[in-house]
Structure formats: C-alpha cells, structure tokens
Amino acid sequence: VSTALVGCLDGHQLVASIHSLCAKWIPLLGKFTFCEADQLDLLVALARACHARAGFETRAFKHIIPTCYKFDVLDGDVVIEWSRE
C-alpha cells in the first residue's frame, strides 16, 4: 500500500499531492496500526517506498511523516525511536 501511495505522487506538485493523498488514504492506514510495532513497520515501508523512487526519499518523506502524525497514525515517540535506528 505504501508503495502504491508513493507511486501516485506528482514530483512537480509534491507537497500538494502528498497532502491530497494522505488526507484520503492515511486514515485507512491508521486502522491497521494497532501498536508501536505496526507504526514502526509503516514507517519502514514508507521510507522504502520513498527511497525506491529516485529523488523522493527526502523530499516526500519529510512531508509524509508529519501528515501521518497529524492524522494520529504515528505516535511522536515511535517516530523518534525510528529515527534513532
């Protein structure tokens, strides 16, 4: 799912497409993140999907993570733990 979401991003209007896609699909992902381990798995999957698209890793990822946090899909402590690994 995360690969499909990242695949739909428009490189020219990246921020707008991230916010549009996340507003639509991130709440659904939230229904599948029951614990911290699920959230970490989601973070890793999103990072891999962004990395798979050349040039998207930093640009897209830095917008996707706060959006997931905003929609209560990711807990701040989980993001901090992931960044330490």
Side-chain angles (χ1 to χ4, degrees):
V1 173
S2 57
T3 303
L5 286 174
V6 173
C8 293
L9 296 176
D10 179 355
H12 299 291
Q13 298 178 349
L14 186 61
V15 176
S17 65
I18 287 172
H19 290 289
S20 175
L21 283 170
C22 287
K24 185 174 184 179
W25 295 106
I26 293 296
L28 176 65
L29 291 177
K31 294 181 186 282
F32 296 98
T33 53
F34 301 108
C35 62
E36 289 184 7
D38 295 339
Q39 292 178 32
L40 283 170
D41 288 344
L42 177 61
L43 273 169
V44 169
L46 287 168
R48 286 182 181 158
C50 288
H51 184 70
R53 285 197 64 187
F56 267 59
E57 182 175 13
T58 302
R59 292 184 328 151
F61 201 64
K62 72 179 182 182
H63 294 287
I64 292 172
I65 299 309
T67 305
C68 289
Y69 177 78
K70 175 182 170 187
F71 283 96
D72 293 325
V73 173
L74 297 173
D75 183 68
D77 292 336
V78 172
V79 176
I80 292 169
E81 179 183 336
W82 172 84
S83 70
R84 289 181 183 157
E85 293 180 2

